[in-house]
Amino acid sequence: MSHQHAFPVPNQPPAPRHFRGPLFLMAFVVAATLLTAAFWVTVRLDQVASKGARVVTEAVLQETVNRLRSMTQDYAFWSFSYELVQEGDAGAIFEHIGSGAAQSDLFDQLFILSPDFELLHEFHSDGETFPDLATLQPALEGSLKTLKDLPPAQYQSVSGYAELDGAFFAVTSAWITPDYIETLGTRAVPVLVGIVHLDPGWTKSLSNLSLQSGFSFEKEVPSSATLENGTVLTNPDDQPVGYLVWDSPVAGKMLRQQIMPAILIVCASIVLACFGAARFFDGQHRAVQKAMQVATTDQLTGVLNRAGLHQVFEGEQTTAAIADGRVAVIYIDMNGLKRLNDAYGHAVGDSALTVLAQTLESSIRQGDVVARLGGDEFVCIIFDQDPGQSAIQVATRILRLTDRPFATSIPDRKLELSIGIAVATPDIQWDALLRQADAAMYWGKQRGERNAAYFATRLKHLPYLPVSTMQQASRDMNA
């Protein structure tokens, strides 16, 4: 039968801990960190992609207008262009001006207008079909009206975006102004209008540059969610004419879908590893606990053995209690064990030892300690502010509980005990205290009486055996 000791054994492994809780918490934290990191990285990837798409798209839109403005100004602010238009030679005009639209990608359409904005010449990219000037006129009115207010001598152009029936295009208009405009004495100079259409070919090029897809144009203000992936198109007067929108970036989402199974597998592996580690540590702890219990416990009676008792007195708590005189030792010897073994067998002798150990444990209080020193000798360690009186009370209980047959099969045999008591004095050593209790027990055994012998502190060298009453022992203790 196993017994629990109320007084903790120093140097013994701590009470069993539940490793699974902390390990599973660690697994949860690691898994949550991995999942959160993966989600955050992929969301940030989409955010960066969205920002990048906006930067590239707005840059391409600005570059389209800037390029169109630059090329239109190159043709318009050229004296030779003014002279060609004035001469009216259609072939020369096409060769030097119109070819910029028909035979290159500088313009999609190019119009030369009279000072009154009447069509003089029209050019467009070969193989393409675009609206004529009359169709485009409503969309160009704003640009031409703004240009009309600008003096030709200022060499300025008007640029922006325009919309016609859901189709969007960049437009730049400028006066065809010679270098000698100041000498002409007139403002009546022709107009050059350059147009670049934002057609599917243009959006495809933009998609390749921005690594985004789903570009489209909208006339009305898109929803806030859409506007996050869109930009406004303004006319020369800086008024909105439409919106260029694109699909939300999906690179992060696609990456998340691809890596999430792997991350989940890693998280599951972490959980399983922590579960295995928890079982391993629990097993190791139980094994250490069992080994310590085996090393410090008497295997027959279940109480502490000499090694366990030694560990008790290595602890700071016990050392301090002895130094303060708050410890008493009850030394118990079971008489006649050899005769019992010889007469009834070792099984009966072992049973007697076990019954005695159980009796001792039932006689002490919470916090006291029982140990078997070996053979038929036991000790009870009493911790109390008044250890002597408490030791007498425990010894009385021991004697009372053993004053009856210990086995039904042997009704005429009781446990025969010799008991010695010693109380610690300040700064006494444990070995000396144990020797005093042993000496008191030995004197009691010599007298052969069923009582406890008390070691009197007034005797420095020899134990003092009082008369056969516990009351006298108490009086001697206080002497």
Side-chain angles (χ1 to χ4, degrees):
M1 177 180 298
S2 63
H3 304 275
Q4 299 295 325
H5 307 293
F7 193 81
V9 180
N11 300 331
Q12 191 170 345
R17 298 179 182 270
H18 297 287
F19 293 98
R20 295 182 183 179
L23 286 174
F24 281 144
L25 178 60
M26 181 182 70
F28 173 78
V29 170
V30 173
T33 301
L34 287 175
L35 292 172
T36 302
F39 184 80
W40 182 84
V41 168
T42 53
V43 169
R44 283 293 298 157
L45 181 61
D46 283 342
Q47 292 175 345
V48 171
S50 179
K51 183 177 180 180
R54 177 178 294 279
V55 170
V56 172
T57 300
E58 292 179 348
V60 169
L61 287 171
Q62 188 62 46
E63 174 62 20
T64 299
V65 171
N66 291 343
R67 185 169 179 265
L68 178 61
R69 179 190 299 117
S70 176
M71 298 309 303
T72 301
Q73 289 177 350
D74 284 348
Y75 281 101
F77 304 152
W78 186 23
S79 299
F80 187 56
S81 295
Y82 174 78
E83 294 166 359
L84 287 174
V85 174
Q86 291 299 106
E87 292 174 2
D89 186 345
I93 292 174
F94 174 81
E95 180 181 355
H96 294 286
I97 300 177
S99 59
Q103 299 177 351
S104 71
D105 60 353
L106 301 179
F107 307 92
D108 288 329
Q109 286 183 281
L110 200 59
F111 298 100
I112 300 176
L113 309 180
S114 69
D116 297 328
F117 303 144
E118 297 294 331
L119 180 63
L120 298 178
H121 302 278
E122 177 182 355
F123 309 97
H124 60 79
S125 299
D126 290 341
E128 300 288 343
T129 301
F130 297 104
D132 56 21
L133 181 63
T135 304
L136 293 172
Q137 193 68 36
L140 298 177
E141 284 182 357
S143 176
L144 295 177
K145 183 179 179 181
T146 302
L147 180 66
K148 189 175 182 179
D149 296 333
L150 298 177
Q154 291 185 358
Y155 296 96
Q156 292 182 328
S157 61
V158 177
S159 300
Y161 287 95
E163 179 271 334
L164 178 67
D165 297 332
F168 291 82
F169 53 90
V171 57
T172 296
S173 57
W175 299 108
I176 300 178
T177 308
D179 296 339
Y180 46 86
I181 181 64
E182 298 292 344
T183 65
L184 293 180
T186 180
R187 293 182 56 181
V189 295
V191 177
L192 184 64
V193 178
I195 294 177
V196 172
H197 288 272
L198 308 184
D199 55 15
W202 184 89
T203 55
K204 182 178 180 180
S205 298
L206 176 59
S207 180
N208 292 335
L209 287 173
S210 64
L211 302 178
Q212 290 299 124
S213 60
F215 284 97
S216 62
F217 294 93
E218 296 184 14
K219 293 176 60 176
E220 303 298 331
V221 180
S223 64
S224 58
T226 306
L227 196 56
E228 292 179 358
N229 299 306
T231 187
V232 64
L233 302 176
T234 58
N235 61 17
D237 295 328
D238 204 27
Q239 297 298 314
V241 296
Y243 300 86
L244 174 61
V245 298
W246 55 89
D247 292 341
S248 298
V250 295
K253 182 178 180 181
M254 293 177 61
L255 178 61
R256 187 162 60 247
Q257 292 174 345
Q258 291 177 354
I259 67 174
M260 193 57 66
I263 292 178
L264 291 176
I265 291 175
V266 171
C267 292
S269 300
I270 292 173
V271 172
L272 290 176
C274 288
F275 178 77
R279 294 192 61 182
F280 173 78
F281 289 134
D282 281 343
Q284 289 292 101
H285 186 82
R286 286 193 296 269
V288 171
Q289 287 285 80
K290 184 175 181 180
M292 290 299 299
Q293 184 179 11
V294 169
T296 59
T297 302
D298 181 66
Q299 299 305 300
L300 174 62
T301 62
V303 299
L304 291 178
N305 58 17
R306 187 179 290 272
L309 184 64
H310 179 70
Q311 286 193 350
V312 169
F313 284 92
E314 280 185 341
E316 294 182 1
Q317 180 180 354
T318 307
T319 303
I322 294 176
D324 294 341
R326 294 183 284 109
V327 175
V329 176
I330 304 175
Y331 205 110
I332 304 100
D333 180 78
M334 189 176 77
N335 301 319
L337 177 61
K338 184 177 184 305
R339 295 194 303 273
L340 194 64
N341 287 333
D342 293 342
Y344 300 99
H346 286 278
V348 173
D350 291 345
S351 176
L353 291 171
T354 302
V355 169
L356 176 57
Q358 295 172 354
T359 301
L360 297 179
E361 288 203 317
S362 64
S363 299
I364 62 175
R365 299 95 35 85
Q366 182 73 20
D368 297 337
V369 175
V370 173
R372 182 186 179 193
L373 298 181
D376 54 4
E377 295 182 342
F378 293 80
V379 292
C380 295
I381 313 300
I382 309 302
F383 297 89
D384 197 271
Q385 294 297 329
D386 187 2
Q389 188 62 38
S390 298
I392 291 174
Q393 294 172 357
V394 171
T396 301
R397 283 196 294 271
I398 295 172
L399 292 172
R400 185 180 68 251
L401 293 175
T402 55
D403 190 22
R404 55 176 177 262
F406 69 89
T408 58
S409 59
I410 315 176
D412 59 337
R413 294 301 298 268
K414 301 178 182 179
L415 294 178
E416 300 176 7
L417 305 180
S418 295
I419 299 177
I421 300 174
V423 178
T425 56
D427 299 325
I428 192 173
Q429 298 297 316
W430 158 246
D431 291 341
L433 180 62
L434 187 62
R435 285 197 300 270
Q436 290 179 358
D438 184 23
M441 181 275 298
Y442 182 73
W443 275 72
K445 176 178 288 198
Q446 286 184 331
R447 290 176 62 91
E449 295 188 8
R450 184 179 173 81
N451 292 292
Y454 186 83
F455 187 91
T457 57
R458 55 189 173 85
L459 298 179
K460 302 299 184 181
H461 303 291
L462 295 175
Y464 169 68
L465 187 66
V467 295
S468 305
T469 65
M470 298 301 298
Q471 291 80 6
Q472 183 63 39
S474 178
R475 288 196 298 271
D476 286 338
M477 176 190 70
N478 296 319

